[in-house]
Amino acid sequence: MATINDNYLKLKAGYLFPEIARRVNAFAEANPQAEIIKLGIGDVTEPLPEACCQAMIKAVEEMSDRSTFKGYGPEQGYAWLREKIAASDFQGRGCEIDGSEIFVSDGAKCDTGNILDIFGKNNTIAVTDPVYPVYVDTNVMAGHTGEVNNGGEYEGLVYIPITEENNFTAEIPSKKVDLIYLCFPNNPTGAVASKEYLKAWVDYAKANDSIIFFDAAYEAYIRDPELPHSIYEIEGAKDCAIEFRSFSKNAGFTGTRCAYTVVPKTLKATASDGTEVELHKLWNRRQSTKFNGVSYIVQRGAEAVYSEAGQAQVKKLIDFYLENAKIIREKLTAAGLSVYGGVHSPYIWLKTPQGLSSWDFFDKLLQTVNVVGTPGSGFGAAGEGYFRISAFNSRENVEEATKRITEKFKV
Ligand code: MLT
């Protein structure tokens, strides 16, 4: 009989969001009259920007005509999109990132997992706690960890707690780690990073020959001009960081699928014989072997994000979700709950009321007021006693959910 990758057996029962969906579906089936409002998974609800739709309609028309039809595209993404990304998201902010250092893909989630393909098995890997669970689970799948303990921590990973005490920003490790995952604005806590803070990480990474995996999927929610959107705004980051970006949370592409990863050509890691190898070459090799690129139609849609109309429409979309976040944050705070995040982020992180565990609060919220959120403990042991509420929903639903929560859990 064929054998399996035993590492999968080490994984905790189910991925967080399917487990939430399972509980919600069971409740909905038993209570068909309940008007459930979902503020759990960070999935957008508002339609795509008009500029993106128009660009994709035009691209479909091109595909229907033999003279403009496109077959396979470049695995790395079309140059016209990569160059726009480089100019607008990086060079415009003073970062020396070139279009050839950008790899267009179908998702930041896939890329943060797939990137492990090009790294060795013996790296010391650090994650924050709480953390976006994909970083941990993909390391488990790749055999980079031992077993999970009762607290939900995998043997072999270095967990850096992010708590109220450190303002939800991980302290720089006192010992050397090889790979570090950072996410700002943070999922799940909504915390943001200053330039000084990111500089401390870049200095650490350079001093220790470490590589930072910087997940900036929520950068478009930053409104303070002093806050960095990219780690490459920090000098030296091109030598120690890979950045992941997405069109999901800015242009609403969660169902359309387009993202990109930046692997600078200056970034190197060591082979087992001690030679230094360019990671850009390895990622290019990996992508051109295992990936056939994002569809032409979707890349045209993503390109439209950078048009004048696209930029204005994306801003309006994000303003809308940020206003939702503000409503949730302010109303829950006024009700006496301890609330964090939700300023430059679509996520509100709150302390569970009445000392409830994260999952107990999840169940109580679902059963008593029919609102769905995400239990903090699903993001790691240090998330126990916390709860994430997402601002992705209609205004009406956000106002109704906030009203229900505050009426029931007013302190
Ligand atoms: C979340 O809710 O944390 C996000 O939807 C995760 C993701 O974007 O994959």
Side-chain angles (χ1 to χ4, degrees), residues 186-365:
N186 187 254
N187 181 12
T189 67
V192 290
S194 66
K195 277 194 180 143
E196 297 67 40
Y197 176 74
L198 286 189
K199 182 178 179 320
W201 274 107
V202 168
D203 290 348
Y204 169 87
K206 291 192 74 166
N208 290 282
D209 279 334
S210 324
I211 288 176
I212 299 170
F213 294 153
F214 191 75
D215 185 345
Y218 299 92
E219 61 74 36
Y221 289 78
I222 295 173
R223 285 289 184 262
D224 179 345
E226 293 300 314
L227 293 173
H229 289 239
S230 165
I231 195 156
Y232 304 119
E233 289 178 53
I234 313 302
E235 208 186 320
K238 275 189 78 174
D239 301 325
C240 64
I242 291 175
E243 183 162 307
F244 303 94
R245 291 278 189 108
S246 172
F247 292 97
S248 285
K249 311 295 161 95
N250 61 351
F253 273 44
T254 54
T256 307
R257 309 306 310 151
C258 198
Y260 66 87
T261 289
V262 187
V263 186
K265 289 186 175 155
T266 41
L267 192 58
K268 294 191 177 122
T270 324
S272 52
D273 66 2
T275 51
E276 288 193 348
V277 180
E278 279 176 36
L279 291 173
H280 182 276
K281 282 193 182 143
L282 294 192
W283 185 241
N284 194 28
R285 185 71 174 85
R286 191 266 173 213
Q287 289 298 81
S288 51
T289 305
K290 291 195 179 183
F291 184 59
N292 260 336
V294 175
S295 82
Y296 172 72
I297 298 161
V298 168
Q299 290 192 63
R300 282 295 186 200
E303 183 193 26
V305 164
Y306 299 100
S307 66
E308 209 182 315
Q311 290 283 290
Q313 290 158 12
V314 164
K315 180 170 181 304
K316 201 165 158 220
L317 207 47
I318 296 169
D319 284 348
F320 174 78
Y321 292 126
L322 282 174
E323 182 62 22
N324 280 353
K326 184 167 183 267
I327 292 168
I328 300 169
R329 198 182 73 239
E330 290 183 352
K331 297 233 166 105
L332 296 192
T333 306
L337 293 160
S338 301
V339 175
Y340 308 91
V343 180
H344 302 287
S345 160
Y347 295 130
I348 291 94
W349 187 243
L350 62 123
K351 234 182 170 142
T352 55
Q354 302 159 5
L356 291 167
S357 76
S358 300
W359 276 109
D360 284 351
F361 184 58
F362 173 90
D363 288 333
K364 204 161 177 183
L365 207 56

Side-chain angles (χ1 to χ4, degrees), residues 39 323-342 346-353 361 365 369 371-374 386-391 397-411:
L39 302 177
E323 182 62 22
N324 280 353
K326 184 167 183 267
I327 292 168
I328 300 169
R329 198 182 73 239
E330 290 183 352
K331 297 233 166 105
L332 296 192
T333 306
L337 293 160
S338 301
V339 175
Y340 308 91
Y347 295 130
I348 291 94
W349 187 243
L350 62 123
K351 234 182 170 142
T352 55
F361 184 58
L365 207 56
V369 296
V371 173
V372 180
T374 309
Y386 287 90
F387 200 75
R388 194 192 76 177
I389 294 185
S390 126
N397 278 348
V398 160
E399 282 176 344
E400 173 62 20
T402 311
K403 181 164 158 280
R404 291 189 203 167
I405 300 172
T406 50
E407 278 172 6
K408 179 81 189 166
F409 295 98
K410 201 172 169 66
V411 181

Side-chain angles (χ1 to χ4, degrees), residues 107-130:
K109 170 173 159 178
C110 326
D111 284 358
T112 55
N114 291 335
I115 198 76
L116 295 174
D117 275 11
I118 64 168
F119 287 92
K121 296 269 176 230
N122 296 320
N123 290 305
T124 308
I125 298 157
V127 291
T128 63
D129 181 7

